[in-house]
Amino acid sequence: MTPILTFHGAAECVTGSCMLLETDQGRFLIDCGMFQGPKTLKALNYEPFPFDASSIDAVFLTHAHIDHSGLLPKLVRAGYRGPIHATRGTRDLCEVMLADSAEIQESEVSQLNRRNARRNIKVVEPIYTTADVDPTLRLFETVKFREPFQPKPGLEVTYWPAGHLLGAASIEMKVEADGEEIRLLFSGDLGSGRQPFLPTPDGPTGVDHVVLESTYGDRERIDPDLDARREALAEELRLAKAAGGPLLMPTFAVGRAQELILDLLAVMEAWPELAGEIFLDSPLAIEATDVFLRRGWNPDTGDNPYESLRHAGRLHHLMRPWESDGLERLRDWHVVLAGSGMCDAGRIRRHLKRLLWRKETTVLITGFQAAGTLGRFLLEGRSTIRIQGEDIHVGARIRSLDSYSGHADATGLVSWLEARKPVGGHVLLDHGEPDAVSVLAARLGAAGYRTRSPEIDQAFALSKAGVEPVRAGSGRIAPGQAARPDWHNDRAAFLVSLNETLQALPTDVERTALLERLAGGLSAPGRAGRPGPAPATD
């Protein structure tokens, strides 16, 4: 048969990575990630898979981040029993990340259902529970970089270092089809090659088709060397301390948190006047740090750069919720790192509710913020945001540093692709918002590459010479919706604006008149009883 590649996630957006490859050798998934961002997009996590989970023969996992691995327990819950191929670092990180994800599902769905009960809305079931994690972990089979293996006759697979995260890989597949060999390369998430604690991205040459991530396909970043990066961080600490503190850092728990702590400790040693206590308020980041200590050996540098985290006197791990609550009593200069990195879940929301209105607070954002996330709204300069139905005035200083990104910029993506030449067929651009994809596509087109930009659920037939669309998207989500705020975001913005307008009116008579005009434009609402989408920040 002609191989068919279908993009069931990370098309038109940067989350939910999941591709289905159908060949004579079987049906294979490359990644099985969770959607993040607007509620409309996250609702897809609750829907059935657009394929039969029990029909999948193997999963090939690029890395452990939840947007690439987060629906693996759901896949197993739905009947999958095949192997999950991954590097040892990815497997060990998934052990802590999937357990944490399951606990979040259970906790947040429980809270949502209590709110729904008061609203007479039907209960929501978790996507999966902690009971689904161990059966998933038992399916993992570890692989080594640069060592080809044959999961099925006629299929050869090789993992290459991607330099994005501990254990992160690009995946090469050689598929026999119609008497010829087709060589595919899935980039996964690519590092810049200039990250101080990660290996340089690598890969094969002379492939037929490349699936290339495009997160930063429309922008250039300056990745400073380690000393310059720490100097930039020191300046942010200096300004945050001068503002009165504290410094609140939303952080991705796996990879980013560990790098930030290494740099914070180094800055405080080099500039003693900036020294203060560092609180890591993320059980996942704390557990992941143990994995980095075990598996963080960098072959490019010949050491494990995370060793200094083993005995760091200024670093305090907050595992229990009541330990997190104790930060409310602190008045001295200090730094708090808490998940999630896009401010959409986890303990960071509690800290934002507590600190965001205070002008002496600084919020420092160090990672990509997807459309429709609270972190994106903060970077866009919103003066008021809603967290769990509560309006919060933004009085804090909102700052950003992009030198910590684990993704290559546009030049880095093109350079990595150039090193894979010759590419005989197409470059399919995924894992990027539409503007990033279109800019990168134009740049690659000018360089002589043939590109395709898949939509969610779109399928392509693969031959050695090229790829052709054979099936449009299924309509699980409207074209373009994945990368823009949805009606839930519009509702939250409207409620913020309404409250501000009502407060600004001089009399109750005018407030009542405004409400009556708005009420007149509403039809009588029915009581929908369908389950809601994934719990998320309003």
Side-chain angles (χ1 to χ4, degrees):
M1 65 174 286
T2 299
I4 303 294
L5 179 64
T6 306
F7 290 79
H8 289 304
E12 304 180 283
C13 62
V14 297
T15 66
S17 179
C18 182
M19 289 161 279
L20 172 61
L21 178 63
E22 300 170 86
T23 73
D24 285 330
Q25 293 76 28
R27 290 162 56 85
F28 309 106
L29 287 186
I30 298 88
D31 289 343
C32 190
M34 185 176 287
F35 288 100
Q36 299 165 303
K39 285 186 179 182
T40 299
L41 187 59
K42 288 194 284 191
L44 298 180
N45 295 324
Y46 284 75
E47 295 183 5
F49 286 112
F51 49 81
D52 178 5
S54 64
S55 73
I56 303 300
D57 293 287
V59 175
F60 301 96
L61 185 60
T62 61
H63 65 286
H65 278 150
I66 287 296
D67 62 318
H68 291 257
S69 71
L71 291 187
L72 286 171
K74 177 184 175 179
L75 188 73
V76 174
R77 192 174 193 174
Y80 177 68
R81 296 296 181 267
I84 300 171
H85 299 284
T87 64
R88 172 61 67 178
T90 294
R91 189 265 174 216
D92 286 0
L93 287 175
C94 279
E95 182 173 2
V96 296
M97 294 185 75
L98 295 179
D100 180 78
S101 177
E103 290 174 1
I104 289 174
Q105 291 301 314
E106 293 177 300
S107 172
E108 295 204 346
V109 165
S110 176
Q111 295 175 26
L112 178 66
N113 284 335
R114 286 196 294 271
R115 296 197 299 271
N116 284 349
R118 296 192 292 268
R119 302 168 182 167
N120 195 27
I121 299 175
K122 287 185 178 179
V123 299
V124 178
E125 292 293 325
I127 300 170
Y128 51 84
T129 69
T130 53
D132 300 305
V133 175
D134 281 346
T136 303
L137 294 172
R138 286 197 290 270
L139 298 179
F140 273 76
E141 296 185 8
T142 58
V143 301
K144 294 182 178 180
F145 286 123
R146 299 186 177 89
E147 293 190 7
F149 65 99
Q150 286 191 320
K152 295 282 185 180
L155 174 67
E156 182 180 281
V157 179
T158 306
Y159 277 53
W160 297 85
H164 170 71
L165 175 71
L166 176 67
S170 300
I171 300 176
E172 176 190 7
M173 291 186 174
K174 298 178 181 179
V175 181
E176 293 182 9
D178 299 327
E180 61 182 4
E181 180 184 83
I182 301 176
R183 295 182 67 192
L184 309 174
L185 180 59
F186 299 86
S187 73
D189 288 357
L190 291 170
S192 67
R194 298 183 295 275
Q195 298 299 103
F197 307 127
L198 293 168
T200 301
D202 198 3
T205 59
V207 298
D208 295 311
H209 308 299
V210 179
V211 178
L212 179 63
E213 71 118 321
S214 50
T215 308
Y216 283 110
D218 60 344
R219 70 195 78 175
E220 305 291 344
R221 289 198 334 271
I222 298 175
D223 283 333
D225 62 26
L226 185 58
D227 289 341
R229 189 174 82 174
R230 288 174 172 173
E231 288 176 5
L233 180 62
E235 181 61 18
E236 294 296 338
L237 263 68
R238 189 172 290 110
L239 293 173
K241 186 175 182 182
L247 175 60
L248 180 59
M249 303 178 72
T251 184
F252 298 94
V254 179
R256 186 68 43 76
Q258 289 74 27
E259 284 198 34
L260 283 168
I261 293 169
L262 286 173
D263 280 6
L264 285 167
L265 292 170
V267 164
M268 290 179 181
E269 182 176 357
W271 290 276
E273 71 275 13
L274 300 177
E277 303 306 299
I278 304 168
F279 297 92
L280 181 57
D281 192 12
S282 169
L284 173 57
I286 294 167
E287 294 178 356
T289 299
D290 290 338
V291 178
F292 280 83
L293 289 170
R294 294 199 311 270
R295 303 291 180 189
W297 180 265
N298 186 340
D300 289 358
T301 60
D303 65 1
N304 184 339
Y306 303 97
E307 273 298 323
S308 59
L309 297 179
R310 197 178 297 277
H311 304 291
R314 293 193 179 279
L315 178 61
H316 307 278
H317 291 168
L318 307 183
M319 285 291 291
R320 307 302 178 192
W322 57 85
E323 295 174 322
S324 177
D325 293 340
L327 295 180
E328 295 184 14
R329 297 188 293 272
L330 287 180
R331 294 295 177 265
D332 295 331
W333 160 245
H334 62 280
V335 179
V336 178
L337 296 90
S340 66
M342 296 186 192
C343 307
D344 254 10
R347 296 184 182 180
I348 189 63
R349 292 186 298 178
R350 186 184 337 176
H351 292 300
L352 289 170
K353 289 174 71 173
R354 178 173 64 89
L355 296 171
L356 195 57
W357 61 274
R358 293 168 49 181
K359 68 180 187 320
E360 65 269 24
T361 300
T362 298
V363 179
L364 180 59
I365 293 175
T366 59
F368 183 86
Q369 305 297 304
T373 61
L374 178 55
R376 181 77 154 255
F377 293 146
L378 290 173
L379 283 181
E380 291 172 349
R382 298 281 180 98
S383 61
T384 303
I385 50 91
R386 283 176 72 82
I387 302 177
Q388 297 172 320
E390 183 177 346
D391 292 354
I392 308 293
H393 169 67
V394 181
R397 300 168 63 253
I398 308 299
R399 302 285 296 171
S400 67
L401 271 179
D402 68 357
S403 55
Y404 286 91
S405 176
H407 290 271
D409 63 7
T411 295
L413 293 170
V414 174
S415 297
W416 180 87
L417 185 62
E418 287 281 293
R420 312 281 78 78
K421 278 185 171 181
V423 178
H426 278 83
V427 179
L428 297 103
L429 299 175
D430 75 336
H431 207 284
E433 295 180 354
D435 287 347
V437 171
S438 62
V439 170
L440 184 58
R443 181 168 177 173
L444 293 178
Y449 293 96
R450 293 182 291 163
T451 67
R452 296 280 190 181
S453 304
E455 299 175 356
I456 287 182
D457 299 324
Q458 188 174 15
F460 296 84
L462 310 180
S463 67
K464 196 169 183 66
V467 305
E468 293 296 333
V470 294
R471 189 170 64 248
S474 67
R476 282 197 296 161
I477 191 168
Q481 181 59 64
R484 62 174 181 255
D486 62 8
W487 71 267
H488 298 280
N489 301 126
D490 293 340
R491 178 186 61 180
F494 171 77
L495 291 174
V496 167
S497 179
L498 175 61
N499 290 337
E500 291 177 343
T501 301
L502 288 171
Q503 292 169 11
L505 290 174
T507 68
D508 286 350
V509 172
E510 291 172 280
R511 297 183 182 99
T512 300
L514 173 59
L515 291 172
E516 287 176 349
R517 289 198 302 273
L518 292 172
L522 301 177
S523 59
R527 290 186 176 273
R530 61 181 296 181
T537 299
D538 286 337

